[in-house]
Amino acid sequence: MNQKQRILVTGGAGFLGSQLCEMLVARGNDVICLDNFFTSQKVNVAHLLDKPNFELIRHDVIVPIWLEVDQIYNLACPASPGHYQFNPIKTIKTSVMGAINVLGLAKRCNARVLQASTSEVYGDPEVHPQTECYRGSVNPIGPRACYDEGKRAAETLFMEYHRMNKVDIRIVRIFNTYGPRMHPFDGRVVSNFIRQALANEPLTLFGDGSQTRSFCYRDDLLNALVKMMENESGFIGPVNVGNPDEFTIRELAELVIELTGSSSKIVETDLPIDDPVRRQPDISLARERLQWEPEIKLRLGLQKTIDWFKTIDLDHYHPPTPNF
Ligand code: NAD
Ligand code: UDP
């Protein structure tokens, strides 16, 4: 693949986007990071600002933008329940209008465009583990719908622009991903538990902690996104990307306490509405078509994430989340 491609990363200042920008800049690509900083801080990309092959644009993806690019990674969207429920109408607009705008841009520029979709398109799944052909069980009027339905509609738009306008698309369904640069107050389980454990505060277990998730380390996930973007076999997805190792949330809490050496206790609180009971990706398709699978085990990835949390000043991170 041509290393001098001009690449737009929407949501490029976020947890995943900022590390993706860093990877692409290091590879010599010309990188444009577009972000409205709704859930991120400029500090995430501050170290890239003096690079000649990096540009930062403050812009909202719900508004069209005129650029010349070869590839687009569409990551702009609040991702944690606390963030996407803060302004649900804005969340669905970001998914739907953001998709329309990046697809229009891709169509005009003849660019390839990758959608950061989500395991949430499966809702609270009745099929386990989840394969790409499973159509999901989403409550269209529940508190998670602004995100889940927004992402489902975005997938529809990607497929229709592909079928109707031959836009070169990629759809990746990302499962729970964690790592350095997570927003410490995003309310996600990994950031909450690490922050709480490092402060020797109680770990807030929602429900009895028997619900499961499968956690993928950030760098594994980003390798998959780049492989998918650069895949020349005609494979457009959707493809599941995540780590199939499944843990209960209680196991996660116990592991975080062990790795931080914390004196925190675990306290059970109410389980949020529509909280999926089980989630585990079937990654057979990614293995077969992308020759990809995750390498970083939860214990190692959590250690790296804890080490990063120890270096940050929490005062530098601002809400919108009510979990602040
Ligand atoms: P994040 O919140 O750290 O990053 C999202 C970025 O998008 C932020 O920088 C935010 O400011 C920006 N943004 C939000 N709305 C915007 C708008 N209207 N215009 C411009 N920028 C906007 O979250 P993340 O974990 O890095 O997620 C990145 C993408 O991956 C999201 O699309 C998310 O849905 C998807 N995803 C993430 C996970 C995960 O576990 N991290 C799982 C599934 C899908
Ligand atoms: N969770 C928890 N304590 C917290 C935050 C989350 O027990 O402080 C639970 C939450 O109910 C869910 C799981 O952890 O079952 C993962 O939540 P997260 O918000 O990280 O992601 P998602 O629900 O979108 O997978």
Side-chain angles (χ1 to χ4, degrees):
M1 175 61 72
N2 178 359
Q3 295 293 298
K4 293 202 179 80
Q5 301 254 317
R6 183 174 302 149
I7 304 179
L8 171 65
V9 182
T10 76
F15 157 51
L16 295 176
S18 61
Q19 187 65 21
L20 178 62
C21 286
E22 192 173 314
M23 279 171 68
L24 298 172
V25 164
R27 287 156 54 112
N29 295 122
D30 202 0
V31 177
I32 303 173
C33 167
L34 179 155
D35 209 296
N36 70 350
F37 302 109
F38 175 51
T39 58
S40 57
Q41 279 65 42
K42 283 183 220 158
V43 68
N44 285 350
V45 287
H47 60 296
L48 298 174
L49 289 174
D50 61 354
K51 306 276 184 199
N53 56 337
F54 180 79
E55 284 168 85
L56 177 60
I57 303 176
R58 180 189 279 266
H59 184 80
D60 195 309
V61 283
I62 72 169
V63 178
I65 189 165
W66 190 277
L67 295 167
E68 307 300 330
V69 294
D70 304 300
Q71 292 180 354
I72 306 166
Y73 288 86
N74 187 36
L75 272 59
C77 187
S80 73
H83 282 165
Y84 67 65
Q85 289 166 0
F86 179 75
N87 184 342
I89 296 171
K90 181 63 193 265
T91 297
I92 196 160
K93 277 186 180 175
T94 296
S95 273
V96 174
M97 295 165 74
I100 291 169
N101 288 329
V102 296
L103 285 160
L105 179 61
K107 182 181 163 194
R108 180 178 58 76
C109 296
N110 204 18
R112 184 173 291 175
V113 56
L114 180 146
Q115 167 68 356
S117 190
T118 170
S119 53
E120 291 284 322
V121 300
Y122 302 124
D124 190 3
E126 306 112 326
V127 167
H128 196 80
Q130 292 81 56
T131 54
E132 290 83 352
C133 58
Y134 174 54
R135 292 179 188 176
S137 166
V138 174
N139 174 1
I141 55 169
R144 298 174 82 101
C146 59
Y147 183 72
D148 302 5
E149 298 291 12
K151 289 285 188 178
R152 287 171 67 95
E155 286 199 11
T156 307
L157 284 160
F158 268 69
M159 284 310 300
E160 294 305 354
Y161 269 76
H162 175 67
R163 280 191 280 253
M164 204 173 149
N165 299 124
K166 307 281 178 281
V167 174
D168 189 8
I169 63 158
R170 302 285 186 273
I171 300 175
V172 180
R173 292 181 179 156
I174 302 171
F175 284 64
N176 295 64
T177 302
Y178 69 99
R181 292 211 197 114
M182 294 185 82
H183 193 304
F185 298 104
D186 63 8
R188 284 190 255 208
V189 69
V190 173
S191 34
N192 268 7
F193 284 178
I194 293 178
R195 193 172 37 78
Q196 291 161 343
L198 289 176
N200 292 312
E201 290 169 0
L203 267 59
T204 49
L205 193 66
F206 297 168
D208 63 4
S210 61
Q211 71 272 33
T212 70
R213 293 294 185 273
S214 308
F215 297 99
C216 186
Y217 187 65
R218 176 197 67 183
D219 296 9
D220 279 334
L221 186 280
L222 293 175
N223 285 336
L225 291 195
V226 173
K227 269 184 178 257
M228 186 62 176
M229 177 63 100
E230 298 188 347
N231 188 281
E232 299 293 347
S233 71
F235 176 54
I236 61 169
V239 61
N240 289 339
V241 172
N243 191 321
D245 293 345
E246 186 184 4
F247 294 85
T248 67
I249 297 303
R250 184 175 287 278
E251 285 171 330
L252 177 76
E254 288 164 353
L255 186 55
V256 169
I257 289 176
E258 181 201 322
L259 293 175
T260 50
S262 173
S263 60
S264 295
K265 300 276 176 279
I266 297 174
V267 293
E268 292 185 18
T269 64
D270 291 344
L271 191 65
I273 296 166
D274 289 342
D275 199 270
V277 178
R278 296 186 76 183
R279 190 183 291 148
Q280 184 191 31
D282 181 324
I283 59 163
S284 311
L285 197 60
R287 282 197 177 101
E288 182 196 329
R289 301 301 300 262
L290 303 177
Q291 290 77 51
W292 173 88
E293 63 184 332
E295 291 172 359
I296 311 268
K297 294 281 176 204
L298 183 61
R299 179 174 281 271
L300 175 60
L302 276 182
Q303 193 60 63
K304 288 170 182 270
T305 311
I306 291 165
D307 291 346
W308 177 79
F309 266 77
K310 285 180 181 168
T311 67
I312 59 170
D313 180 349
L314 293 180
D315 289 338
H316 289 168
Y317 293 84
H318 54 80
T321 159
N323 294 302
F324 185 71

